[in-house]
Amino acid sequence: MSVPALMNWSGGKDSALALYHALRNPRFHVTDLLTSVNAHFQRVSMHGVRLELLAQQAQRIGLPLTKLELPEMPGMEDYERTMRATLAPLQAKGIRHSIFGDIFLEDLRQYREQQLASIGMEAVFPLWQRPSADLLREYLDLGFKAVVVCVNDKFLDASFCGRLLDADFLRDLPPGVDACGENGEYHSFVFDAPYFTSPIPFEYGEKVRRTYQPPANRQASCQQEDAPDPYAAGFWYCDLLPIE
């Protein structure tokens, strides 16, 4: 008998592929999506995607979306308090399993497991320790489509921001950059997936660079598949505009 589970949905390729495998796993019945958002800018945390596009993803997946609303630079205590409050209604529905798209960041996995165990929940990692290049090829073979919406300029220059996430993108990655961006090199927005009812139309907006100061207490997000410290450099963002 399957058990209810929530999907930690960033809107990017890793969470999208993890959801694909979770939906095919008879152990789980995925009932909800959970996404961390920047409450000040009203965009997906770190990815910078507008909430209108996030809502369109949830609509096409056919699952209810819960938003974990955070200040721009939350401290650990603020983050953990908000996470517990946000998860409480989901736990009341009987959800005890939380699915993530992380691949190999051991310290981030341990953080997630410890925090969830403290409130009686279990973390699940469908993609864990699979080679990044294999995952990206599987993602492409399955027909997922995404655009790169953010790059860390410590690893990739601005030309990578706004590109389609395809075989050419994988080929052009510099040596040392993880194929899935597991170290926070880049983030993406999935606009089509095998379980979407239809592709999401969008237009390209402006491309901007932003820098961040490291917070006093570094946040290890319980939703994103980022490196634990994503504030070590400047970031290029490509804005995507919804098409009504």
Side-chain angles (χ1 to χ4, degrees), residues 151-168:
V151 301
N152 184 329
D153 66 8
K154 182 178 179 181
F155 303 101
L156 297 170
D157 63 50
S159 68
F160 284 89
C161 192
R163 286 185 57 171
L164 290 177
L165 187 57
D166 55 15
D168 290 339

Side-chain angles (χ1 to χ4, degrees), residues 154-156 169-170 173-183 185-186:
K154 182 178 179 181
F155 303 101
L156 297 170
F169 180 88
L170 178 60
L173 287 177
V177 172
D178 183 70
C180 285
E182 180 72 348
N183 297 305
E185 294 99 330
Y186 71 91

Side-chain angles (χ1 to χ4, degrees), residues 45-81:
S45 298
M46 287 307 300
H47 292 223
V49 172
R50 294 169 182 258
L51 296 191
E52 298 96 317
L53 291 172
L54 172 66
Q56 290 191 38
Q57 288 180 322
Q59 181 184 42
R60 282 162 172 77
I61 296 170
L63 291 176
L65 171 70
T66 297
K67 291 178 284 188
L68 174 67
E69 298 202 5
L70 298 166
E72 185 174 8
M73 301 292 283
M76 290 290 285
E77 291 183 2
D78 293 335
Y79 171 76
E80 291 168 5
R81 181 174 58 252

